[in-house]
Amino acid sequence: MQLEILKERKVKTVKKTAIKGIIIPNDYQAICDWLDLEATSPGKLQKDLIDADGDDVQVEINSPGGFVAAGSELYNLMHTYSGKLTIDIVGQAASAASVAAMARHNRIAPTASIMIHNVSMDGVSGDYHEMDKASNELLELTKAMANAYVLKTGMDRKSILKMMDAETTLEAQSAVEQGFVDEIIPETDESIFSKATNFSLSKDFFEKLNKLMSKNQPEDADLENLKLQLQIAEMSII
């Protein structure tokens, strides 16, 4: 009698992770976690991708952007991931978040948008030489970020830089038509259509808080009051 051997099929799973809230350097993740502020650092995403271990990954993005270098690192982490990776823009992918969204095959919710603009910096001071240096640095960083859009859309750099200079926002259909996004998420998908976080925190905010945390840990009773004071004092609307 011939025996039929049934081989167990390996079911491929899809791991989910997200880039939500402000995009920050790794050193600031603990601060945001402590303050219960939604934020994503490269280290946080890297851990999730390592845990995924080559399985299919779905990355949801809803972020106003943040630190340029951190956004670039997020882009490269997703671009070089060994497995299949899909990026879903479910709210807003602005500034550094829009750069990260260019890393792989991407989709966008009908209610979502992307925004691209020039790189900016805060805390610059000094004479006209320092201002010239800062201006040149910003231009080079803007060109570096433009590379992600050029590679994704196939548009020439001059056109992309013109869009960045005008601070361009694209709704879903426009983003697909111009090549920034591959497809619109079908209505049959269980997608999250959420409101984007609309604030960012300055580098000075984190530096002040780092000094505070290094001196002593505040009492639990003072924590909520401290959070409120810091957010009111340092939050800037985009």
Side-chain angles (χ1 to χ4, degrees):
M1 182 176 68
Q2 186 176 1
L3 297 177
E4 187 176 337
I5 302 175
L6 300 178
K7 294 184 178 180
E8 184 180 350
R9 290 185 178 181
K10 183 181 179 182
V11 179
K12 204 165 189 179
T13 59
V14 177
K15 303 291 179 65
K16 292 188 177 183
T17 184
I19 297 173
K20 294 192 176 182
I22 55 174
I23 293 174
I24 55 172
N26 294 332
D27 291 346
Y28 298 161
Q29 187 68 61
I31 296 172
C32 288
D33 291 345
W34 180 61
L35 291 173
D36 294 324
L37 294 175
E38 195 169 45
T40 303
S41 63
K44 186 176 181 180
L45 178 66
Q46 184 177 40
K47 181 181 181 302
D48 289 342
L49 294 181
I50 290 173
D51 291 343
D53 193 27
D55 284 339
D56 292 356
V57 173
Q58 179 184 4
V59 182
E60 289 186 349
I61 294 183
N62 183 23
S63 168
F67 289 79
V68 175
S72 175
E73 191 172 352
L74 291 175
Y75 173 95
N76 283 288
L77 283 168
M78 292 187 288
H79 187 67
T80 58
Y81 178 66
S82 60
K84 179 182 177 182
L85 187 147
T86 302
I87 297 168
D88 283 351
I89 303 167
V90 298
Q92 178 188 36
S95 192
S98 68
V99 173
M102 302 297 108
R104 296 286 280 267
H105 182 85
N106 59 10
R107 311 189 304 169
I108 187 168
T111 55
S113 64
I114 67 171
M115 186 274 281
I116 67 175
H117 65 174
N118 294 334
V119 175
S120 61
M121 68 170 62
D122 55 11
V124 181
S125 62
D127 63 15
Y128 68 93
H129 294 296
E130 292 298 323
M131 296 301 104
D132 286 344
K133 181 180 177 181
S135 178
N136 289 332
E137 182 180 352
L138 287 172
L139 178 58
E140 292 305 309
L141 287 172
T142 296
K143 289 179 180 178
M145 297 302 100
N147 289 335
Y149 307 128
V150 171
L151 289 170
K152 184 67 179 178
T153 66
M155 295 172 64
D156 61 272
R157 179 183 282 196
K158 185 177 179 180
S159 297
I160 291 292
L161 289 173
K162 187 175 180 180
M163 293 179 71
M164 295 174 73
D165 201 45
E167 190 171 291
T168 302
T169 297
L170 299 172
E171 53 82 35
Q173 191 62 45
S174 297
V176 172
E177 289 173 356
Q178 298 191 50
F180 289 90
V181 179
D182 296 305
E183 59 179 306
I184 294 176
I185 299 172
E187 293 181 4
T188 53
D189 280 21
E190 295 181 359
S191 304
I192 301 173
F193 305 123
S194 53
K195 184 179 178 182
T197 306
N198 66 345
F199 66 86
S200 64
L201 298 174
S202 67
K203 183 178 180 180
D204 187 53
F205 169 89
F206 290 104
E207 290 178 348
K208 288 178 180 178
L209 192 52
N210 258 330
K211 291 179 181 178
L212 175 65
M213 292 177 68
S214 65
K215 290 180 180 178
N216 53 59
Q217 190 75 10
E219 296 295 331
D220 291 341
D222 297 329
L223 180 57
E224 291 305 318
N225 184 49
L226 175 61
K227 289 181 185 180
L228 182 61
Q229 289 182 34
L230 287 169
Q231 290 181 55
I232 291 174
E234 299 295 339
M235 208 176 283
S236 59
I237 303 298
I238 290 179

